Amino acid sequence: MNSIEEIQQDIIDEFELIAEDREATIFYIMELGQKLPSMSDDSKTEDNMIKGCQSKVWLTASYEDGKVNFLADSNTDITKGLISLLIRVLSGQTPDTILNADLNFVEKIGMSQIIGSQRSNGFNSMIKQMKMYALGFKTKEQVKQ
Amino acid sequence: METAVKQSFDIAAIRAQFPVLNQEVNGYPLTYLDNAATTQKPMRVIEALTEYYTSYNSNIHRGIHTLAEKATHAFEVTRKEIQKFINAPESEEVIFTKGTSESLNLVAATYGRQNLKAGDEVIVTGLEHHSNIVPWQMVCEEKGAKLKVVPVSEKGEINLDDFKNLLSDKTKIVSVAYASNALGTVNPVKEIINLAHQAGAVVILDAAQALSHLNVDVQSLDCDFMASSFHKMYGPTGVGFLYGKRHLLEEMPPYQGGGEMIKEVTFEKTTYNEIPFKFEAGTPNIADIVATKEAIDFISELGKENIHTYENKLLAYGTEKLSQIDKLRLIGTADHKVGVLSFVLEGMHPFDVGMMLDAKGIAVRTGHHCTMPLMDRFGLEGTVRASLAVYNTKEELDVLAESLFKISSRIK
């Protein structure tokens, strides 16, 4: 498992290649979305939906061997591509790593210019929800101990 | 009125009057197709705003000095221009508002609240913008009245027989869109008004999407109220109007209290001003109202018939072009439409389509267009909407179609 910093640097490098081409950037995000496996319809519940997104986004998480694994889906490919970036960085990490993660790739690739203010708000809601899951697992672990 | 009889006009010369159109967005020439949300403004409107602030800014009415007199005159000239534009009998029947939403809220909160009682009914159509639904829901809830909805067909039209079936002696108010913002459908408003009047109801027309495209005459329509906004017709934001028949406006209570709307105030009792001032509490949006005259003149000089003819040709061309794209489904194929092309690409969310069009410098609107019940009717979360204005060209529709063709090929 690469560190959060290494994965973020990979993403920054990938976006750097197409930074001047807005259309290519959007197509790239969309392709990432199309590649992300779909969630089963059973998991696409109201409870798993992230509040604050214009499009529909579902997120679930599981906890195994001290690592958090995320699953997500959306009804739009671009949104799915966006959350796939977050999954790539945060899935498989420990709760503490997730809670302390400084997701500097978001600013470095110029995410808010790419997706605009409305979708940026939704993107921030996704990050918040992922950190909430990490906090939940951490708290449960502490109670067990 | 030489220009009014011209069969076609010089689009390059029209476009040259709109500085905002002459720019690149994301490396491509701007293709502005979001006119149903708001149109761009010609230079003469922008100049009128500047001139007002640089040479005669002053509060209107009651001012004794020269600037106040000049500002008041310009303000009232716009009112008379609107009167002429919609052929209202008197300029006092034109009330300035912030826009269509405020105009509709005004009627609901005054006429509606004064005249509705438990068991009465208000009829709207399934095509309405939320602005023409929510104010009626609010007053119906308060008064125990019922909101009835004329259903929408697969083509995006309403059927007059369905409307007749809903009409009864309980119907007190009928409030309908002249043209649908989401689909472009032009409703048979003349017939609706006649039928509603036979049933003893008053009719309010939401003309937000009609005035810049159609020749609208409140006297020949015989509507009781009409609401619209000027930012959708080449004018500044924040200016709209409510037209109402004099006897109705006079019987209605005021909407808001404050300056301007009073005749005399003591702590025991206040008497209200005459119309239109009774409904214009506080300092109005003077600069934008003054500049609105230029937007009306812009339309009048081009000629409403000419605009209508040109936009119809564009709409037919755009419809034909988009129909050729695989996976594209037009939503709203009414026989009588204003320049709105609403569609979905099967397998792709409207937000994603909108974002990819934006990457090509094409501005469209995506989503529910403030018509969630209408979207529900079609089982959609939203559509992509390209909407036309007089400065749009066939070439721009080619750019749209080419981009959509390319985007649709990406659908997996």
Side-chain angles (χ1 to χ4, degrees), chain B residues 153-316:
Chain B
S153 76
E154 200 56 35
K155 283 175 80 177
E157 293 172 323
I158 61 154
N159 183 321
L160 280 175
D161 286 333
D162 291 332
F163 176 62
K164 277 184 215 161
N165 289 339
L166 290 180
L167 269 177
S168 73
D169 55 5
K170 289 182 194 158
T171 313
K172 294 294 177 302
I173 294 169
V174 175
S175 191
V176 296
Y178 200 134
S180 150
N181 71 308
L183 307 183
T185 310
V186 177
N187 277 325
V189 289
K190 179 72 189 156
E191 290 81 355
I192 289 172
I193 292 165
N194 287 343
L195 289 164
H197 282 171
Q198 283 163 29
V202 300
V203 181
I204 298 118
L205 288 184
D206 168 357
Q209 298 294 337
L211 277 192
S212 70
H213 307 290
L214 306 169
N215 196 354
V216 174
D217 179 331
V218 294
Q219 290 192 69
S220 81
L221 287 168
D222 195 28
C223 60
D224 301 286
F225 297 98
M226 178 182 283
S228 198
S229 303
F230 283 100
H231 73 96
K232 293 185 196 292
M233 40 194 295
Y234 314 106
T237 53
V239 184
F241 72 89
L242 173 72
Y243 157 80
K245 287 179 177 168
R246 174 180 275 277
H247 74 99
L248 293 170
L249 293 174
E250 282 178 342
E251 286 160 18
M252 277 152 57
Y255 179 44
Q256 292 174 328
E260 189 81 10
M261 53 78 70
I262 54 91
K263 188 179 272 171
E264 199 179 338
V265 177
T266 66
F267 280 110
E268 286 69 40
K269 190 177 164 52
T270 294
T271 50
Y272 304 125
N273 207 335
E274 305 293 321
I275 64 164
F277 308 116
K278 182 170 86 172
F279 296 103
E280 293 177 355
T283 296
N285 185 358
I286 305 165
D288 291 309
I289 288 171
V290 166
T292 293
K293 173 189 181 291
E294 294 300 323
I296 297 171
D297 288 351
F298 169 78
I299 293 176
S300 301
E301 285 169 23
L302 284 175
K304 289 182 197 169
E305 290 301 328
N306 291 336
I307 293 172
H308 185 54
T309 307
Y310 176 71
E311 287 182 350
N312 264 351
K313 274 188 205 157
L314 271 187
L315 177 65

Side-chain angles (χ1 to χ4, degrees), chain A residues 22-23 26-27 30-31 34 54-56 75-79 114-116 119, chain B residues 26 28 347-349 351-353 355-356 358-360 381 406-407 410-412:
Chain A
R22 187 177 163 78
E23 203 182 359
I26 291 170
F27 278 148
M30 206 169 153
E31 272 172 19
Q34 289 170 343
Q54 269 206 325
S55 39
K56 287 180 181 156
N75 62 341
T76 100
D77 287 339
I78 289 176
T79 307
I114 300 171
I115 62 175
R119 276 191 147 152
Chain B
N26 298 320
Y28 294 89
M348 194 176 287
H349 197 279
F351 290 169
D352 292 359
V353 179
M355 202 177 243
M356 281 186 281
D358 177 58
K360 288 275 197 191
E381 254 182 78
K406 193 173 163 197
I407 292 166
R410 294 252 169 187
I411 298 172
K412 298 241 158 99

Side-chain angles (χ1 to χ4, degrees), chain B residues 357-372:
Chain B
L357 290 173
D358 177 58
K360 288 275 197 191
I362 303 169
V364 294
R365 192 138 295 244
T366 58
H368 54 62
H369 317 298
C370 296
T371 57
M372 286 167 104

Side-chain angles (χ1 to χ4, degrees), chain B residues 95 97 101-111 242 252 255 279:
Chain B
I95 293 154
T97 65
S101 295
E102 192 182 41
S103 301
L104 293 168
N105 274 283
L106 191 163
V107 186
T110 56
Y111 184 87
L242 173 72
M252 277 152 57
Y255 179 44
F279 296 103

